[in-house]
mmCIF file of all heavy atoms in Angstrom:
data_model
loop_
_atom_site.group_PDB
_atom_site.id
_atom_site.type_symbol
_atom_site.label_atom_id
_atom_site.label_comp_id
_atom_site.label_asym_id
_atom_site.label_seq_id
_atom_site.Cartn_x
_atom_site.Cartn_y
_atom_site.Cartn_z
ATOM 1 N N ASP A 441 -4.959 -7.122 49.683
ATOM 2 C CA ASP A 441 -4.269 -7.894 50.712
ATOM 3 C C ASP A 441 -3.182 -8.800 50.098
ATOM 4 O O ASP A 441 -2.215 -9.157 50.797
ATOM 5 C CB ASP A 441 -5.275 -8.756 51.483
ATOM 6 C CG ASP A 441 -6.189 -7.903 52.350
ATOM 7 O OD1 ASP A 441 -5.803 -6.770 52.705
ATOM 8 O OD2 ASP A 441 -7.319 -8.372 52.679
ATOM 9 N N ALA A 442 -3.350 -9.142 48.811
ATOM 10 C CA ALA A 442 -2.347 -9.987 48.116
ATOM 11 C C ALA A 442 -1.283 -9.129 47.429
ATOM 12 O O ALA A 442 -0.427 -9.665 46.741
ATOM 13 C CB ALA A 442 -3.035 -10.870 47.094
ATOM 14 N N ASP A 443 -1.340 -7.793 47.669
ATOM 15 C CA ASP A 443 -0.403 -6.862 47.053
ATOM 16 C C ASP A 443 -0.410 -6.952 45.521
ATOM 17 O O ASP A 443 0.626 -6.872 44.877
ATOM 18 C CB ASP A 443 1.031 -7.104 47.579
ATOM 19 C CG ASP A 443 1.961 -5.913 47.267
ATOM 20 O OD1 ASP A 443 1.459 -4.801 47.154
ATOM 21 O OD2 ASP A 443 3.184 -6.148 47.121
ATOM 22 N N CYS A 444 -1.624 -7.080 44.971
ATOM 23 C CA CYS A 444 -1.767 -7.153 43.506
ATOM 24 C C CYS A 444 -2.494 -5.957 42.926
ATOM 25 O O CYS A 444 -2.820 -5.928 41.749
ATOM 26 C CB CYS A 444 -2.505 -8.424 43.108
ATOM 27 S SG CYS A 444 -1.533 -9.931 43.374
ATOM 28 N N ILE A 445 -2.764 -4.947 43.790
ATOM 29 C CA ILE A 445 -3.414 -3.749 43.289
ATOM 30 C C ILE A 445 -3.023 -2.577 44.160
ATOM 31 O O ILE A 445 -2.722 -2.731 45.346
ATOM 32 C CB ILE A 445 -4.969 -3.930 43.285
ATOM 33 C CG1 ILE A 445 -5.613 -2.880 42.422
ATOM 34 C CG2 ILE A 445 -5.544 -3.904 44.709
ATOM 35 C CD1 ILE A 445 -7.070 -3.183 42.100
ATOM 36 N N GLU A 446 -3.005 -1.384 43.538
ATOM 37 C CA GLU A 446 -2.702 -0.163 44.281
ATOM 38 C C GLU A 446 -3.474 0.993 43.648
ATOM 39 O O GLU A 446 -3.953 0.883 42.505
ATOM 40 C CB GLU A 446 -1.194 0.148 44.252
ATOM 41 C CG GLU A 446 -0.645 0.437 42.874
ATOM 42 C CD GLU A 446 0.845 0.688 42.886
ATOM 43 O OE1 GLU A 446 1.441 0.791 43.966
ATOM 44 O OE2 GLU A 446 1.427 0.851 41.781
ATOM 45 N N LEU A 447 -3.585 2.110 44.399
ATOM 46 C CA LEU A 447 -4.275 3.291 43.899
ATOM 47 C C LEU A 447 -3.284 4.428 43.946
ATOM 48 O O LEU A 447 -2.631 4.675 44.959
ATOM 49 C CB LEU A 447 -5.489 3.608 44.793
ATOM 50 C CG LEU A 447 -6.389 4.749 44.309
ATOM 51 C CD1 LEU A 447 -7.162 4.346 43.055
ATOM 52 C CD2 LEU A 447 -7.389 5.162 45.403
ATOM 53 N N VAL A 448 -3.161 5.163 42.807
ATOM 54 C CA VAL A 448 -2.237 6.284 42.703
ATOM 55 C C VAL A 448 -3.065 7.551 42.536
ATOM 56 O O VAL A 448 -3.891 7.676 41.643
ATOM 57 C CB VAL A 448 -1.294 6.107 41.494
ATOM 58 C CG1 VAL A 448 -0.345 7.316 41.401
ATOM 59 C CG2 VAL A 448 -0.523 4.826 41.619
ATOM 60 N N THR A 449 -2.827 8.514 43.434
ATOM 61 C CA THR A 449 -3.573 9.777 43.422
ATOM 62 C C THR A 449 -2.861 10.813 42.570
ATOM 63 O O THR A 449 -1.644 10.942 42.612
ATOM 64 C CB THR A 449 -3.752 10.315 44.842
ATOM 65 O OG1 THR A 449 -4.410 9.328 45.658
ATOM 66 C CG2 THR A 449 -4.548 11.598 44.856
ATOM 67 N N GLY A 450 -3.656 11.559 41.793
ATOM 68 C CA GLY A 450 -3.080 12.642 41.006
ATOM 69 C C GLY A 450 -3.626 12.654 39.602
ATOM 70 O O GLY A 450 -3.944 11.617 39.019
ATOM 71 N N LYS A 451 -3.737 13.847 39.035
ATOM 72 C CA LYS A 451 -4.208 14.003 37.661
ATOM 73 C C LYS A 451 -3.181 13.457 36.692
ATOM 74 O O LYS A 451 -1.989 13.725 36.815
ATOM 75 C CB LYS A 451 -4.500 15.478 37.360
ATOM 76 C CG LYS A 451 -5.149 15.693 36.009
ATOM 77 C CD LYS A 451 -5.482 17.170 35.832
ATOM 78 C CE LYS A 451 -6.141 17.423 34.490
ATOM 79 N NZ LYS A 451 -6.433 18.866 34.271
ATOM 80 N N VAL A 452 -3.660 12.673 35.709
ATOM 81 C CA VAL A 452 -2.756 12.005 34.755
ATOM 82 C C VAL A 452 -2.719 12.720 33.429
ATOM 83 O O VAL A 452 -3.759 13.109 32.892
ATOM 84 C CB VAL A 452 -3.201 10.513 34.554
ATOM 85 C CG1 VAL A 452 -2.448 9.880 33.391
ATOM 86 C CG2 VAL A 452 -2.968 9.724 35.835
ATOM 87 N N GLU A 453 -1.525 12.861 32.885
ATOM 88 C CA GLU A 453 -1.333 13.389 31.532
ATOM 89 C C GLU A 453 -0.579 12.329 30.731
ATOM 90 O O GLU A 453 0.493 11.887 31.115
ATOM 91 C CB GLU A 453 -0.534 14.691 31.555
ATOM 92 C CG GLU A 453 -0.258 15.263 30.191
ATOM 93 C CD GLU A 453 0.637 16.512 30.261
ATOM 94 O OE1 GLU A 453 1.076 16.866 31.390
ATOM 95 O OE2 GLU A 453 0.908 17.073 29.193
ATOM 96 N N VAL A 454 -1.183 11.864 29.658
ATOM 97 C CA VAL A 454 -0.529 10.888 28.775
ATOM 98 C C VAL A 454 0.410 11.635 27.840
ATOM 99 O O VAL A 454 0.019 12.575 27.163
ATOM 100 C CB VAL A 454 -1.570 10.081 27.967
ATOM 101 C CG1 VAL A 454 -0.859 9.107 27.033
ATOM 102 C CG2 VAL A 454 -2.512 9.315 28.905
ATOM 103 N N MET A 455 1.681 11.227 27.865
ATOM 104 C CA MET A 455 2.714 11.911 27.087
ATOM 105 C C MET A 455 2.780 11.286 25.684
ATOM 106 O O MET A 455 3.185 10.136 25.519
ATOM 107 C CB MET A 455 4.073 11.777 27.776
ATOM 108 C CG MET A 455 4.035 12.211 29.241
ATOM 109 S SD MET A 455 3.410 13.891 29.479
ATOM 110 C CE MET A 455 4.674 14.830 28.632
#
Side-chain angles (χ1 to χ4, degrees):
D441 291 337
D443 195 27
C444 290
I445 196 166
E446 64 181 354
L447 187 70
V448 180
T449 302
K451 186 176 180 181
V452 169
E453 179 185 2
V454 178
M455 309 304 296

